[in-house]
Amino acid sequence: MIIPLLKGLATTLKACFSKPITLQYPEVKRPVAPRFRGHPELVINDDGDRRCVACTLCMVVCPSNAIRGIEAAEGENHEKYPVAFTIDLTRCIFCGFCQEACPKAAIKLNNLYELAQYDKSRLILDIDKATQEKSQLRMADWL
Ligand code: SF4
Ligand code: SF4
């Protein structure tokens, strides 16, 4: 009778002094693996410009038509840049094809995974919301 009781007590004490395996989510977030595929976002250079040259390769390669509405403009030195770009996260399957196809490394899948929404329209990102820094700020606002 007393032996099982002591065994149970020992197990409880052991658990009390061992490292917890749970996290205080959402205050503490679990780090994701380097190869984790979050939602695609447009990358910006150090100078603050988007790397994208509006070649539309990502749009062509996307198997679920999640990328659409890319419109290009031309700069003073005849460089192209996008003025419109839509990423529809309700269609995205996080395959990473857009990232692989991009010749400029201008689109990449980030490490964000808190994408649940009450309003689906918030998952349709225009060019500003799809751009790196703004994208991350927006995600933080959702919490
Ligand atoms: S991750 Fe895949 S599904 Fe999502 S936008 Fe890129 S190519 Fe399309
Ligand atoms: S993100 Fe890359 S592949 Fe897509 S339009 Fe811009 S430069 Fe082309």
Side-chain angles (χ1 to χ4, degrees), residues 40 58 61-64 66-67 87 91-98 109:
C58 55
V61 81
C62 178
S64 56
I67 298 176
I87 302 178
R91 298 189 64 92
C92 180
I93 55 171
F94 310 98
C95 64
F97 282 4
C98 51
L109 272 61

Side-chain angles (χ1 to χ4, degrees), residues 16-66:
C16 284
F17 295 104
S18 58
K19 195 177 166 199
I21 58 169
T22 52
L23 293 176
Q24 291 294 326
Y25 181 85
E27 289 82 13
V28 181
K29 309 226 186 312
R30 189 176 291 283
V32 297
R35 296 195 319 175
F36 179 82
R37 294 193 295 223
H39 86 72
E41 64 182 10
L42 293 173
V43 177
I44 49 174
N45 286 323
D46 292 340
D47 59 9
D49 288 339
R50 294 181 187 94
R51 279 192 203 164
C52 178
V53 293
C55 69
T56 71
L57 261 178
C58 55
M59 186 168 77
V60 172
V61 81
C62 178
S64 56
N65 293 330

